[in-house]
Amino acid sequence: MAFHKFATEIGKSKVSVPATLWKVVVVVDRPGLGNRGVTEKTRVIAVNMPNTTGIQRKSYKDYLTTVDELEKLTGYDFLSDVPEDIQKVIEAKKE
């Protein structure tokens, strides 16, 4: 799912309004372990939602993507503190 970086500019100051809003959620079973608690089985939820009115009745599941796709879109390296072999598995998941 690809979106443009900015939907529009508004106001006198020409404030850029992003076309999408994204989020990455890492669901850890044992939070006290920090990154050591992240395994290949760790659930990761990544979404990329259009910044438009009228989507509040839709499910977040309609906007599921992968961390890999969000990294391509944003240029960020998410989960960089997690071992590389684990990152490769969980960043490709779409759940």
Side-chain angles (χ1 to χ4, degrees):
M1 176 180 321
F3 297 104
H4 300 293
K5 282 191 172 196
F6 297 105
T8 189
E9 292 180 341
I10 59 172
K12 292 179 184 178
S13 301
K14 301 286 185 187
V15 174
S16 295
V17 177
T20 65
L21 301 170
W22 51 264
K23 183 171 284 214
V24 175
V25 177
V26 179
V27 183
V28 291
D29 293 325
R30 297 174 61 196
L33 292 180
N35 293 342
R36 293 178 320 216
V38 178
T39 69
E40 292 89 353
K41 294 181 180 184
T42 297
R43 184 172 183 211
V44 176
I45 304 166
V47 294
N48 188 18
M49 299 171 282
N51 190 11
T52 58
T53 58
I55 68 166
Q56 64 269 23
R57 289 187 182 96
K58 290 191 160 211
S59 170
Y60 75 92
K61 293 177 182 180
D62 294 332
Y63 304 104
L64 286 174
T65 188
T66 65
V67 173
D68 285 335
E69 286 299 317
L70 288 180
E71 287 179 334
K72 287 178 195 171
L73 178 72
T74 65
Y76 293 125
D77 182 16
F78 300 109
L79 310 178
S80 59
D81 289 342
V82 173
E84 189 70 32
D85 57 329
I86 295 173
Q87 276 187 61
K88 286 182 182 184
V89 173
I90 64 176
E91 289 185 354
K93 290 181 183 181
K94 186 176 186 179
E95 51 180 310

